[in-house]
Amino acid sequence: PAAAAGAHAKPPPMKTDEKAGTNEALQRNAGYKNVSKADEECSLAAFHQGNDLLNNGLFPQAVARYREALRSWDHPGIHYNLALALINLNEPIEVFDHLNEAIKYGVGPITQDKFDHAREYLKLVAGQLADIEVSCDKAGAKVAVDGKEVFVAPGSYKAKVRVGKHTFYGEKEGYNARVTAPFIGPGETFRIELKLYTAEELTRYRRRWNTAWMPYAVIGGGALAGIIGGVFELSASSSYKDFDTAVAKCNTGAMGCS
Protein backbone atom coordinates (compact mmCIF):
# COMPACT_ATOMS: atom_id res chain seq x y z
CA PRO A 1 0.00 0.00 0.00
CA ALA A 2 2.79 2.43 0.79
CA ALA A 3 4.42 1.75 -2.57
CA ALA A 4 1.11 2.24 -4.37
CA ALA A 5 0.52 5.54 -2.62
CA GLY A 6 4.04 6.69 -3.41
CA ALA A 7 3.59 5.83 -7.08
CA HIS A 8 0.98 8.59 -7.35
CA ALA A 9 2.79 11.14 -5.20
CA LYS A 10 4.12 14.28 -6.83
CA PRO A 11 7.90 14.65 -6.50
CA PRO A 12 9.18 17.40 -4.18
CA PRO A 13 10.19 20.69 -5.85
CA MET A 14 13.78 21.21 -6.93
CA LYS A 15 16.05 23.71 -5.22
CA THR A 16 19.59 24.95 -5.83
CA ASP A 17 22.07 27.08 -3.92
CA GLU A 18 24.19 27.79 -7.01
CA LYS A 19 25.10 31.46 -7.35
CA ALA A 20 25.89 33.61 -10.36
CA GLY A 21 29.38 34.99 -10.90
CA THR A 22 30.20 38.60 -10.08
CA ASN A 23 30.45 40.72 -13.27
CA GLU A 24 30.02 37.49 -15.22
CA ALA A 25 30.90 37.82 -18.91
CA LEU A 26 29.05 36.37 -21.90
CA GLN A 27 31.15 34.70 -24.59
CA ARG A 28 30.79 35.76 -28.24
CA ASN A 29 31.19 33.87 -31.53
CA ALA A 30 30.25 30.41 -30.29
CA GLY A 31 27.85 29.45 -33.09
CA TYR A 32 24.80 31.28 -31.78
CA LYS A 33 23.43 34.58 -32.99
CA ASN A 34 25.59 37.63 -32.19
CA VAL A 35 24.13 41.10 -31.80
CA SER A 36 25.16 44.72 -32.11
CA LYS A 37 27.38 46.33 -29.50
CA ALA A 38 24.45 48.40 -28.23
CA ASP A 39 22.23 45.33 -27.78
CA GLU A 40 25.08 43.48 -26.10
CA GLU A 41 25.62 46.27 -23.59
CA CYS A 42 21.88 46.52 -22.89
CA SER A 43 21.66 42.76 -22.39
CA LEU A 44 24.73 42.66 -20.12
CA ALA A 45 23.31 45.42 -17.89
CA ALA A 46 20.07 43.50 -17.34
CA PHE A 47 22.02 40.24 -16.98
CA HIS A 48 24.22 41.61 -14.19
CA GLN A 49 21.19 43.04 -12.40
CA GLY A 50 19.58 39.60 -12.62
CA ASN A 51 22.70 38.00 -11.14
CA ASP A 52 22.63 40.33 -8.13
CA LEU A 53 18.95 39.58 -7.55
CA LEU A 54 19.54 35.82 -7.93
CA ASN A 55 22.39 35.85 -5.40
CA ASN A 56 20.16 37.71 -2.92
CA GLY A 57 17.32 35.20 -3.26
CA LEU A 58 14.99 37.59 -5.13
CA PHE A 59 14.08 35.01 -7.74
CA PRO A 60 10.96 36.56 -9.38
CA GLN A 61 12.81 39.85 -9.89
CA ALA A 62 15.84 37.99 -11.24
CA VAL A 63 13.61 36.17 -13.76
CA ALA A 64 12.26 39.51 -14.99
CA ARG A 65 15.77 40.92 -15.54
CA TYR A 66 16.98 37.78 -17.33
CA ARG A 67 13.97 37.85 -19.66
CA GLU A 68 14.78 41.47 -20.41
CA ALA A 69 18.38 40.51 -21.18
CA LEU A 70 17.25 37.75 -23.56
CA ARG A 71 15.16 40.22 -25.56
CA SER A 72 18.38 42.03 -26.50
CA TRP A 73 20.65 38.97 -26.79
CA ASP A 74 19.50 35.36 -26.92
CA HIS A 75 22.62 33.97 -25.22
CA PRO A 76 23.03 30.46 -23.67
CA GLY A 77 24.63 31.94 -20.56
CA ILE A 78 21.53 34.01 -19.85
CA HIS A 79 19.33 30.95 -20.34
CA TYR A 80 21.45 29.06 -17.79
CA ASN A 81 21.15 31.69 -15.05
CA LEU A 82 17.45 32.12 -15.79
CA ALA A 83 17.05 28.36 -15.27
CA LEU A 84 18.70 28.70 -11.83
CA ALA A 85 16.12 31.28 -10.77
CA LEU A 86 13.24 29.20 -12.16
CA ILE A 87 14.45 26.10 -10.31
CA ASN A 88 13.91 27.95 -7.05
CA LEU A 89 10.45 29.05 -8.20
CA ASN A 90 9.42 25.45 -8.94
CA GLU A 91 8.84 25.97 -12.67
CA PRO A 92 10.13 22.66 -14.07
CA ILE A 93 8.78 23.06 -17.62
CA GLU A 94 10.53 26.39 -18.14
CA VAL A 95 13.64 25.05 -16.43
CA PHE A 96 13.71 22.19 -18.93
CA ASP A 97 13.37 24.58 -21.88
CA HIS A 98 16.04 27.05 -20.74
CA LEU A 99 18.56 24.38 -19.77
CA ASN A 100 18.28 22.88 -23.23
CA GLU A 101 18.87 26.34 -24.70
CA ALA A 102 21.89 26.73 -22.41
CA ILE A 103 23.62 23.59 -23.77
CA LYS A 104 22.35 23.94 -27.33
CA TYR A 105 25.74 25.08 -28.68
CA GLY A 106 27.94 22.96 -26.46
CA VAL A 107 30.54 24.20 -23.99
CA GLY A 108 31.62 27.25 -26.06
CA PRO A 109 29.15 29.89 -24.82
CA ILE A 110 29.29 28.73 -21.18
CA THR A 111 31.94 27.21 -18.93
CA GLN A 112 32.52 23.47 -18.64
CA ASP A 113 31.20 23.54 -15.06
CA LYS A 114 27.95 25.16 -16.13
CA PHE A 115 27.59 22.76 -19.04
CA ASP A 116 28.03 19.77 -16.71
CA HIS A 117 25.69 21.27 -14.11
CA ALA A 118 23.05 21.90 -16.77
CA ARG A 119 23.09 18.25 -17.79
CA GLU A 120 22.74 17.18 -14.14
CA TYR A 121 19.83 19.58 -13.61
CA LEU A 122 18.15 18.14 -16.71
CA LYS A 123 18.30 14.67 -15.18
CA LEU A 124 16.71 15.97 -11.99
CA VAL A 125 13.99 17.97 -13.72
CA ALA A 126 13.08 14.88 -15.78
CA GLY A 127 11.64 13.45 -12.54
CA GLN A 128 9.22 16.39 -12.42
CA LEU A 129 7.87 16.05 -15.95
CA ALA A 130 5.81 13.80 -18.22
CA ASP A 131 4.81 14.01 -21.90
CA ILE A 132 1.38 14.39 -23.46
CA GLU A 133 0.24 13.91 -27.06
CA VAL A 134 -3.31 14.97 -27.92
CA SER A 135 -4.97 14.95 -31.34
CA CYS A 136 -8.41 15.73 -32.76
CA ASP A 137 -9.81 15.48 -36.31
CA LYS A 138 -13.10 17.38 -35.83
CA ALA A 139 -12.51 20.42 -38.05
CA GLY A 140 -12.94 23.71 -36.20
CA ALA A 141 -12.90 22.19 -32.72
CA LYS A 142 -10.90 24.11 -30.11
CA VAL A 143 -8.70 21.83 -28.03
CA ALA A 144 -7.51 22.86 -24.57
CA VAL A 145 -5.19 21.24 -22.02
CA ASP A 146 -5.81 22.14 -18.37
CA GLY A 147 -7.99 25.06 -19.47
CA LYS A 148 -5.48 26.52 -21.94
CA GLU A 149 -6.29 26.38 -25.66
CA VAL A 150 -3.45 24.69 -27.57
CA PHE A 151 -4.75 24.24 -31.14
CA VAL A 152 -7.76 24.25 -33.45
CA ALA A 153 -8.54 20.89 -35.07
CA PRO A 154 -7.68 19.09 -37.19
CA GLY A 155 -4.23 18.75 -35.70
CA SER A 156 -2.18 17.51 -32.77
CA TYR A 157 -0.18 18.85 -29.86
CA LYS A 158 2.83 17.52 -27.94
CA ALA A 159 4.22 19.05 -24.77
CA LYS A 160 5.93 18.54 -21.46
CA VAL A 161 3.64 18.73 -18.44
CA ARG A 162 4.07 18.42 -14.71
CA VAL A 163 3.67 14.99 -13.17
CA GLY A 164 0.05 14.47 -12.06
CA LYS A 165 -3.49 14.54 -13.45
CA HIS A 166 -4.46 16.63 -16.48
CA THR A 167 -7.68 17.51 -18.29
CA PHE A 168 -8.18 17.53 -22.06
CA TYR A 169 -11.13 19.36 -23.56
CA GLY A 170 -12.44 19.67 -27.13
CA GLU A 171 -15.26 22.04 -28.01
CA LYS A 172 -17.18 23.00 -31.12
CA GLU A 173 -20.71 24.39 -31.38
CA GLY A 174 -23.02 21.45 -30.74
CA TYR A 175 -20.11 19.12 -29.87
CA ASN A 176 -17.92 18.57 -26.84
CA ALA A 177 -15.53 16.10 -25.23
CA ARG A 178 -13.86 16.20 -21.82
CA VAL A 179 -11.31 13.68 -20.55
CA THR A 180 -9.44 13.70 -17.24
CA ALA A 181 -6.27 11.66 -17.57
CA PRO A 182 -5.16 9.34 -14.77
CA PHE A 183 -2.00 10.19 -12.86
CA ILE A 184 0.85 10.60 -15.37
CA GLY A 185 4.15 9.65 -13.75
CA PRO A 186 7.70 10.92 -14.35
CA GLY A 187 8.95 10.15 -17.86
CA GLU A 188 5.60 8.68 -18.92
CA THR A 189 3.80 9.62 -22.15
CA PHE A 190 0.02 9.96 -22.26
CA ARG A 191 -1.57 9.85 -25.72
CA ILE A 192 -5.21 10.60 -26.49
CA GLU A 193 -7.36 11.25 -29.55
CA LEU A 194 -10.36 13.42 -28.68
CA LYS A 195 -13.60 12.30 -30.32
CA LEU A 196 -16.39 14.91 -30.34
CA TYR A 197 -20.08 13.96 -30.48
CA THR A 198 -23.41 15.74 -30.30
CA ALA A 199 -25.87 14.92 -27.52
CA GLU A 200 -28.00 13.08 -30.09
CA GLU A 201 -25.05 10.97 -31.23
CA LEU A 202 -24.39 9.95 -27.65
CA THR A 203 -28.03 8.80 -27.19
CA ARG A 204 -29.07 5.38 -28.49
CA TYR A 205 -32.55 3.82 -28.49
CA ARG A 206 -33.01 0.06 -28.88
CA ARG A 207 -36.09 -2.17 -28.58
CA ARG A 208 -35.84 -5.01 -26.11
CA TRP A 209 -37.87 -7.17 -28.51
CA ASN A 210 -37.68 -7.34 -32.27
CA THR A 211 -41.48 -7.85 -32.69
CA ALA A 212 -43.97 -5.13 -31.81
CA TRP A 213 -46.58 -7.51 -30.32
CA MET A 214 -44.21 -8.96 -27.72
CA PRO A 215 -44.54 -6.16 -25.10
CA TYR A 216 -48.34 -6.32 -25.32
CA ALA A 217 -48.29 -10.11 -24.91
CA VAL A 218 -46.11 -9.74 -21.81
CA ILE A 219 -48.44 -7.09 -20.37
CA GLY A 220 -51.52 -9.25 -21.12
CA GLY A 221 -49.91 -12.32 -19.56
CA GLY A 222 -49.10 -10.33 -16.44
CA ALA A 223 -52.68 -9.05 -16.18
CA LEU A 224 -54.07 -12.59 -16.57
CA ALA A 225 -51.73 -13.90 -13.88
CA GLY A 226 -52.91 -11.08 -11.60
CA ILE A 227 -56.59 -11.98 -12.14
CA ILE A 228 -56.01 -15.67 -11.46
CA GLY A 229 -54.03 -14.80 -8.34
CA GLY A 230 -56.89 -12.61 -7.17
CA VAL A 231 -59.38 -15.46 -7.57
CA PHE A 232 -57.21 -17.79 -5.47
CA GLU A 233 -56.75 -15.03 -2.90
CA LEU A 234 -60.54 -14.64 -2.49
CA SER A 235 -61.05 -18.41 -2.31
CA ALA A 236 -58.39 -18.80 0.37
CA SER A 237 -59.81 -15.91 2.37
CA SER A 238 -63.32 -17.53 2.30
CA SER A 239 -61.91 -20.89 3.46
CA TYR A 240 -60.14 -19.25 6.41
CA LYS A 241 -63.38 -17.52 7.45
CA ASP A 242 -65.33 -20.84 7.35
CA PHE A 243 -62.60 -22.47 9.48
CA ASP A 244 -62.68 -19.66 12.06
CA THR A 245 -66.50 -19.87 12.29
CA ALA A 246 -66.40 -23.63 12.92
CA VAL A 247 -63.74 -23.25 15.63
CA ALA A 248 -65.82 -20.57 17.35
CA LYS A 249 -68.87 -22.88 17.46
CA CYS A 250 -66.80 -25.67 19.03
CA ASN A 251 -65.71 -23.33 21.86
CA THR A 252 -69.33 -22.67 22.87
CA GLY A 253 -70.12 -26.31 23.85
CA ALA A 254 -69.00 -28.05 27.01
CA MET A 255 -67.37 -30.96 25.23
CA GLY A 256 -65.80 -29.10 22.27
CA CYS A 257 -65.40 -30.64 18.82
CA SER A 258 -63.37 -33.45 17.38
Side-chain angles (χ1 to χ4, degrees):
H8 284 183
K10 290 186 177 181
M14 293 174 58
K15 291 289 183 182
T16 179
D17 294 327
E18 185 174 347
K19 303 294 184 181
T22 304
N23 294 324
E24 189 176 344
L26 296 175
Q27 300 297 321
R28 295 178 62 89
N29 301 320
Y32 49 90
K33 181 181 178 181
N34 285 318
V35 295
S36 67
K37 189 65 176 177
D39 283 340
E40 180 180 341
E41 290 176 355
C42 181
S43 180
L44 276 172
F47 177 65
H48 290 150
Q49 290 173 8
N51 289 347
D52 290 338
L53 292 165
L54 173 69
N55 293 340
N56 286 298
L58 301 174
F59 305 118
Q61 296 88 331
V63 167
R65 295 284 77 76
Y66 289 137
R67 294 195 194 283
E68 181 183 337
L70 284 172
R71 284 194 288 270
S72 297
W73 193 8
D74 188 7
H75 192 286
I78 304 174
H79 283 288
Y80 180 86
N81 285 19
L82 174 54
L84 295 181
L86 290 168
I87 286 174
N88 288 290
L89 292 176
N90 191 28
E91 296 290 347
I93 298 175
E94 288 192 83
V95 170
F96 178 86
D97 292 337
H98 287 291
L99 286 175
N100 276 294
E101 288 295 321
I103 63 174
K104 187 175 181 178
Y105 300 100
V107 180
I110 56 179
T111 64
Q112 183 68 55
D113 284 346
K114 286 189 175 183
F115 184 83
D116 293 339
H117 288 171
R119 296 179 69 177
E120 291 299 320
Y121 287 136
L122 279 171
K123 292 179 182 178
L124 293 174
V125 80
Q128 306 273 332
L129 302 176
D131 292 281
I132 58 166
E133 297 179 12
V134 56
S135 61
C136 180
D137 60 4
K138 180 66 72 175
K142 297 179 180 180
V143 177
V145 178
D146 295 331
K148 179 182 179 181
E149 185 178 320
V150 292
F151 72 93
V152 177
S156 61
Y157 173 75
K158 297 181 180 180
K160 294 281 185 184
V161 294
R162 290 172 179 262
V163 166
K165 293 185 176 182
H166 297 274
T167 301
F168 305 87
Y169 190 75
E171 182 180 25
K172 183 181 179 179
E173 186 175 357
Y175 298 82
N176 67 76
R178 181 185 180 90
V179 177
T180 299
F183 189 93
I184 309 174
E188 294 180 352
T189 300
F190 181 82
R191 297 180 178 88
I192 186 171
E193 181 181 1
L194 287 177
K195 295 289 187 180
L196 275 66
Y197 300 96
T198 63
E200 290 76 15
E201 289 172 334
L202 290 173
T203 305
R204 295 289 184 269
Y205 296 96
R206 183 171 62 86
R207 285 183 178 274
R208 185 176 296 275
W209 298 281
N210 294 327
T211 52
W213 57 265
M214 183 67 74
Y216 300 105
V218 172
I219 293 172
L224 179 60
I227 292 171
I228 295 172
V231 171
F232 283 117
E233 173 85 14
L234 292 173
S235 177
S237 178
S238 177
S239 297
Y240 276 121
K241 286 182 179 178
D242 291 344
F243 177 80
D244 290 339
T245 300
V247 171
K249 287 181 179 180
C250 287
N251 289 335
T252 59
M255 299 301 295
C257 301
S258 61

